């Protein structure tokens, strides 16, 4: 059977309350019953002795028995459910409750039987008698018997006491149940409301509505985390969705220009408006190369985003030295000086190929946007938990209005100039994706006309739980 969390919690509370109360009631009843029975039995013995003592006191040596006082004791005892018979030394009856009032004696026994049956339905009791020798100064002065409903009986007062106790227990039980019901309902509501909100938010997200604000006032840590996770999920999905939409628009936009150039050139040549000379074919070839570069960059980006990382421990200093050597020809041709002073090994846990791509992207940008005779400085340092890589150039710099967007796909700060450099605006997007996949950060500072500085922070170990960057 499927039931709501709220009902489940409420019923669980009630169920546990019933179990606890039942256990407490049963234990209390058993203990109480046992104690009460032994108290009643001890009380019968005590009362018998008291009566015996009282009767003995009614004998005066020389004067004999005070039958009047014995009768008083007998009547009082009868009222308490005890049937007394007293005989003197010669066996003569001094007082006999039955002779005094036979009906009352029978009624009394019957009354005690009723009391016992009302408390213990089906109780099998019977009339019992205790016989005593009456002694004074070590001399037998008579005999007496005390009859009662045995093995023990409950007087009206006893019955009232035990019934009141049971009523109190029942009252406490009902109160506890009511309390459990209210507490269960309130707690269940407090727990289930944020979950219901999270379900609504998840449904809204499933329907593509990422904008709905999700917040929870719950003070339960897990529910707070559920709330913030739902909000983050909505934000991430919204981000992904807008990235996906923008990627399609960006790709279309990027391909439109070279394709339009190709189309117009081809049509003009086919219609005979233009002659098919080497120069025009070179323009077309250039546009085809451009389209090819965009497609290559896109497939590289999708590879980095989808393929699993291959972590290993390697020397980053060595890797950078290798990459710098591969740039040597290019930098010499452009009249740019590459400076990297670090010689000590700095080891890092990372995907070697992907991190190589980051260094290549940053160096290629630095020398692409440097001015002839410019200097590109590479810095590498380490702390206990991180490695800091810095690539600094004194090139053209980036306009502050472009700075927030340079990590976005296809974003190029200076489009006219970038067409010449051949950049497709995807290098920094790839670098950022790789650095973040390592748990690191990448930041850019730039002054237009003065130069650019890219700072990358990478955690040395992937196992460290705290993100140190
Ligand atoms: P691209 O392939 O066009 O270089 P990137 O994603 O690497 O693409 O860079 C995005 C844009 O950021 C570049 O088009 C360029 O305008 C700007 N940029 C990146 N690095 C530098 C730099 N070192 N100096 C000046 N501008 C830069």
């Amino acid at each position: 059977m499927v039931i709501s969390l709220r009902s489940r919690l409420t019923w669980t509370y009630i169920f546990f309350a019933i179990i606890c109360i039942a256990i407490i009631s049963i234990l209390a009843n058993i203990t109480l019953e046992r104690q009460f029975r032994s108290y009643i039995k001890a009380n019968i013995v005590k009362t018998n002795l008291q009566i015996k003592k009282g009767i003995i006191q009614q004998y005066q040596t020389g004067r004999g028995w005070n039958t009047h006082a014995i009768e008083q004791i007998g009547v009082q005892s009868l009222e308490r459910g005890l049937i007394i018979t007293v005989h003197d030394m010669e066996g003569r009856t001094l007082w006999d409750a039955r002779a005094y009032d036979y009906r009352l004696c029978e009624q009394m026994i019957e009354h005690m039987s009723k009391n016992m049956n009302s408390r213990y339905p089906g109780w099998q009791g019977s009339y019992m008698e205790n016989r005593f020798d009456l002694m004074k100064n070590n001399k037998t002065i008579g005999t007496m018997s005390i009859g009662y409903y045995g093995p023990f009986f409950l007087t009206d007062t006893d019955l009232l006491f035990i019934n009141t106790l049971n009523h109190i227990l029942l009252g406490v039980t009902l109160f506890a149940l009511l309390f459990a019901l209210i507490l269960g309902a309130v707690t269940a509501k407090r727990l289930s409301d944020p979950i219901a909100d999270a379900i609504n938010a998840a449904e809204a997200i499933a329907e593509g509505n990422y904008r709905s604000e999700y917040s929870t006032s719950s003070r339960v840590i897990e529910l707070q985390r559920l709330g913030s996770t739902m909000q983050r999920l909505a934000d991430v999905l919204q981000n992904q969705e807008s990235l996906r939409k923008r990627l399609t628009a960006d790709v279309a936009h990027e391909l439109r220009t070279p394709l339009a150039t190709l189309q117009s050139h081809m049509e003009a040549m086919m219609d005979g408006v233009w002659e098919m000379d080497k120069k025009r074919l070179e323009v077309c070839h250039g546009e085809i190369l451009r389209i090819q570069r965009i497609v290559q960059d896109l497939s590289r980006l999708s590879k980095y985003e989808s393929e699993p990382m291959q972590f290993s421990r390697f020397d980053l200093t060595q890797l950078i030295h290798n990459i710098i050597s591969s740039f040597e020809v290019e930098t010499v041709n452009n009249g740019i000086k590459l400076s990297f002073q670090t010689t000590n090994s700095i080891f890092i846990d990372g995907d070697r190929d992907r991190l190589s791509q980051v260094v290549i992207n940053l160096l290629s940008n630095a020398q692409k946007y440097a001015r002839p005779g410019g200097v590109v400085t590479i810095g590498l340092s380490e702390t206990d938990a991180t490695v800091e890589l810095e690539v600094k150039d004194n090139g053209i710099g980036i306009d502050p209005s472009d700075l927030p967007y340079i990590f976005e796909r296809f974003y190029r700060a200076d489009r006219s100039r970038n067409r010449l450099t051949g950049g497709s605006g995807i290098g920094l997007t790839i670098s950022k994706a790789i650095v973040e996949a390592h748990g690191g950060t990448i930041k850019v500072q730039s002054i237009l006309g003065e130069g650019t500085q890219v700072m990358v922070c990478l955690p040395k170990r992937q196992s460290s739980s705290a993100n140190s960057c």
Side-chain angles (χ1 to χ4, degrees):
M1 190 179 64
V2 181
I3 61 167
S4 70
L5 176 70
R6 200 159 156 181
S7 313
R8 162 73 49 100
L9 283 172
T10 310
W11 283 114
T12 307
Y13 262 97
I14 294 174
F15 177 72
F16 278 115
I18 291 175
I19 296 277
C20 290
I21 293 164
I23 291 173
I24 292 170
S25 301
I26 290 168
L27 287 179
N29 250 303
I30 291 173
T31 319
L32 198 81
E33 191 62 45
R34 200 175 289 158
Q35 294 295 326
F36 199 67
R37 277 189 195 197
S38 47
Y39 162 77
I40 297 279
K41 282 176 187 165
N43 213 23
I44 290 174
V45 174
K46 202 170 132 200
T47 314
N48 281 357
L49 289 176
Q50 272 173 354
I51 294 171
K52 182 183 159 193
K53 211 172 144 197
I55 297 282
I56 289 171
Q57 277 170 358
Q58 306 316 316
Y59 183 81
Q60 298 279 311
T61 317
R63 282 217 205 133
W65 291 97
N66 180 350
T67 48
H68 183 66
I70 292 175
E71 183 174 313
Q72 269 184 352
I73 294 171
V75 172
Q76 273 171 15
S77 303
L78 189 56
E79 282 162 4
R80 289 158 70 184
L82 299 170
I83 297 164
I84 293 177
T85 314
V86 185
H87 298 281
D88 65 7
M89 222 164 32
E90 281 80 32
R92 281 190 301 262
T93 305
L94 294 172
W95 198 77
D96 183 350
R98 281 207 168 77
Y100 173 75
D101 192 335
Y102 182 80
R103 264 192 64 210
L104 186 63
C105 291
E106 289 304 309
Q107 272 173 4
M108 204 46 91
I109 295 295
E110 206 177 309
H111 186 67
M112 294 307 156
S113 163
K114 258 192 201 158
N115 275 4
M116 290 302 279
N117 270 286
S118 77
R119 173 73 189 141
Y120 313 106
W123 180 264
Q124 297 285 325
S126 60
Y127 177 75
M128 295 178 103
E129 247 181 28
N130 288 339
R131 290 176 183 281
F132 305 96
D133 282 338
L134 302 173
M135 313 273 290
K136 195 159 190 175
N137 301 330
N138 292 328
K139 246 183 78 192
T140 306
I141 52 171
T143 57
M144 75 174 273
S145 73
I146 302 176
Y148 56 93
Y149 185 82
F152 68 94
F153 64 91
L154 298 174
T155 63
D156 290 352
T157 324
D158 298 334
L159 206 61
L160 183 71
F161 171 75
I162 203 144
N163 282 343
T164 310
L165 218 62
N166 275 318
H167 285 143
I168 291 172
L169 213 60
L170 190 71
V172 170
T173 306
L174 290 178
F175 178 76
L177 274 181
L178 190 71
F179 189 65
L181 184 75
I182 294 169
L183 193 75
V186 171
T187 316
K189 186 172 157 45
R190 281 200 183 165
L191 286 178
S192 64
D193 277 1
I195 293 175
D197 289 349
I199 292 169
N200 291 339
E203 279 171 357
I205 289 170
E207 282 161 17
N209 175 14
Y210 308 121
R211 285 173 198 285
S212 58
E213 284 286 306
Y214 179 83
S215 66
T216 176
S217 53
S218 173
R219 275 187 274 167
V220 177
I221 293 173
E222 286 80 0
L223 292 177
Q224 278 184 353
R225 279 186 56 197
L226 177 66
S228 55
T229 309
M230 286 310 297
Q231 187 61 60
R232 225 177 46 236
L233 178 68
D235 292 345
V236 167
L237 286 176
Q238 185 178 5
N239 212 10
Q240 294 278 326
E241 177 72 0
S242 56
L243 274 179
R244 192 180 60 77
K245 283 183 183 155
R246 235 191 36 230
L247 176 65
T248 320
D250 287 348
V251 172
H253 180 261
E254 286 303 310
L255 292 178
R256 196 175 297 128
T257 320
L259 283 174
T261 314
L262 269 177
Q263 189 187 2
S264 60
H265 277 57
M266 291 295 201
E267 281 173 0
M269 286 190 277
M270 276 158 57
D271 294 347
V273 180
W274 283 350
E275 245 180 64
M276 200 166 64
D277 58 18
K278 188 166 179 268
K279 200 175 148 221
R280 287 188 177 124
L281 282 176
E282 270 174 5
V283 171
C284 291
H285 185 243
E287 293 303 336
I288 289 170
L289 289 182
R290 184 165 173 70
I291 294 171
Q292 205 176 31
R293 227 176 12 244
I294 292 172
V295 173
Q296 267 172 5
D297 280 350
L298 276 174
S299 71
R300 244 184 327 139
L301 179 62
S302 96
K303 177 176 171 249
Y304 286 130
E305 282 178 343
S306 59
E307 280 186 10
M309 309 265 279
Q310 303 288 334
F311 283 103
S312 64
R313 193 155 179 75
F314 63 90
D315 180 0
L316 193 57
T317 314
Q318 185 59 51
L319 181 83
I320 294 173
H321 277 296
N322 294 348
I323 293 170
I324 287 174
S325 350
S326 71
F327 267 86
E328 230 164 296
V329 181
E330 214 173 321
T331 46
V332 169
N333 287 346
N334 293 337
I336 290 161
K337 189 171 172 274
L338 271 186
S339 152
F340 181 46
Q341 305 297 339
T342 313
T343 50
N344 59 311
S345 295
I346 294 181
F347 282 90
I348 186 169
D349 282 348
D351 185 317
R352 196 185 158 96
D353 287 347
R354 282 181 162 94
L355 288 179
S356 303
Q357 188 63 54
V358 173
V359 179
I360 292 169
N361 286 352
L362 299 185
L363 287 187
S364 118
N365 275 353
Q367 61 107 23
K368 211 158 51 179
Y369 301 109
R371 282 183 282 236
V375 180
V376 175
T377 317
I378 302 143
L380 189 66
S381 58
E382 64 178 330
T383 65
D384 279 350
T386 61
V387 174
E388 315 272 345
L389 167 70
E390 187 188 281
V391 178
K392 194 175 167 187
D393 64 67
N394 56 357
I396 61 168
I398 305 169
D399 193 290
S401 63
D402 288 318
L403 216 45
Y405 309 106
I406 56 169
F407 288 108
E408 294 188 6
R409 284 185 184 97
F410 298 119
Y411 195 86
R412 297 184 307 239
D414 181 347
R415 291 188 173 239
S416 54
R417 192 189 155 99
N418 265 291
R419 254 182 104 73
L420 300 175
T421 57
S424 56
I426 228 162
L428 285 181
T429 316
I430 292 176
S431 305
K432 188 167 190 249
I434 294 173
V435 169
E436 285 181 350
H438 280 79
T441 56
I442 181 165
K443 288 183 202 136
V444 176
Q445 281 177 357
S446 187
I447 300 173
L448 193 62
E450 286 188 22
T452 305
Q453 188 180 358
V454 185
M455 287 134 321
V456 175
C457 171
L458 290 164
K460 264 185 181 169
R461 277 174 200 85
Q462 289 300 313
S463 52
S464 63
S465 54
N467 192 345
S468 31
C469 284

